[in-house]
Amino acid sequence: MTLSGKTAVVTGGSRGIGRAVVRRLVAAGARVVFTYAHREPAEVPPGTVAVRADQADLASLEMIFEQVADGFDILVNNVGVGPRIPIAELTADQIDRVFTINLRFPLLAIKAAVPLLRDGGRIINISTLNTVLGAPGLSLYCSSKAALEQVTVVASKELGPRAITVNTVSPGATDTDMLRAHNEADGLAQGVAMTALRRLGTPDDIAAVVAFLVSADGGWITGQNIRATGGLIL
């Protein structure tokens, strides 16, 4: 697979799954613009441009797409937050923040991308297995990501005539800072025991799925939710 001559935008590309996606796309020959929210990344790989953009602030969209004003080929909406808050303790501000980051921003990013994406382009929305395997305290995470999955379906219909594919990738238990911040050791061990391949996923596992979907070989797949879980739910 080669992405030589392609330009990609990846949100949240400084760590975790996003960083693995950036590295994989660069290795395939793409130029990559990626965002980070607060701490400037210690490493900016050759062939990439880092843009500070807090996804809680919709005004930062403009700064991202200025970098690809002459057109681009791949959009990966990777950023997501999943605070554990029981429904009984939710506030309106918490609801607004999570839905802005997980749904409004990526939806508006797709809108901004439409006139800039070249025909035959690719859009990937990163969701979560938790939309079908809910857990206490994750009502905001699950519902906002589930809504993003429906955006994928509709966008695939709207952009299909231009040969632009739109897909969701839903990781299972993937070894990231976010996973470890929200799970104790017992919870991680339980996730491994429930997974057919008997291990946690890695960011590289998810990046490999993204890389396939944005390649020429993935051109006949659109409107789908690829659950990259190692068999966590079957």
Side-chain angles (χ1 to χ4, degrees), residues 156-171:
S156 70
K157 294 283 190 178
E158 293 185 0
L159 300 178
R162 293 177 52 199
I164 294 172
T165 67
V166 189
N167 290 290
T168 296
V169 174
S170 291

Side-chain angles (χ1 to χ4, degrees), residues 104-192:
R104 293 179 68 198
F105 194 101
L107 178 54
L108 290 172
I110 293 172
K111 177 186 176 182
V114 167
L116 299 174
L117 273 173
R118 300 183 181 99
D119 290 356
R122 304 282 191 265
I123 298 174
I124 305 293
N125 294 318
I126 303 297
S127 184
T128 172
L129 183 65
N130 289 123
T131 58
V132 293
L133 191 65
L138 293 182
S139 62
L140 294 184
Y141 185 51
C142 295
S143 57
S144 59
K145 287 293 191 178
L148 184 61
E149 291 172 9
Q150 293 306 307
V151 169
T152 292
V153 174
V154 174
S156 70
K157 294 283 190 178
E158 293 185 0
L159 300 178
R162 293 177 52 199
I164 294 172
T165 67
V166 189
N167 290 290
T168 296
V169 174
S170 291
T174 306
D175 196 358
T176 62
D177 292 344
M178 182 175 175
L179 181 77
R180 292 188 176 274
H182 293 298
N183 293 275
E184 301 294 337
D186 288 349
L188 296 177
Q190 184 180 14
V192 169

Side-chain angles (χ1 to χ4, degrees), residues 34-84:
F34 71 90
T35 70
Y36 65 97
H38 303 297
R39 186 183 305 169
E40 189 169 350
E43 175 192 358
V44 179
T48 68
V49 175
V51 178
R52 183 170 184 174
D54 186 345
Q55 204 148 304
D57 178 10
L58 298 178
S60 63
L61 273 164
E62 184 176 350
M63 293 183 292
I64 301 170
F65 291 99
E66 283 177 352
Q67 303 293 326
V68 290
D70 57 345
F72 73 113
D73 307 279
I74 299 162
L75 171 64
V76 181
N77 280 313
N78 167 67
V79 171
V81 293
R84 284 189 179 269

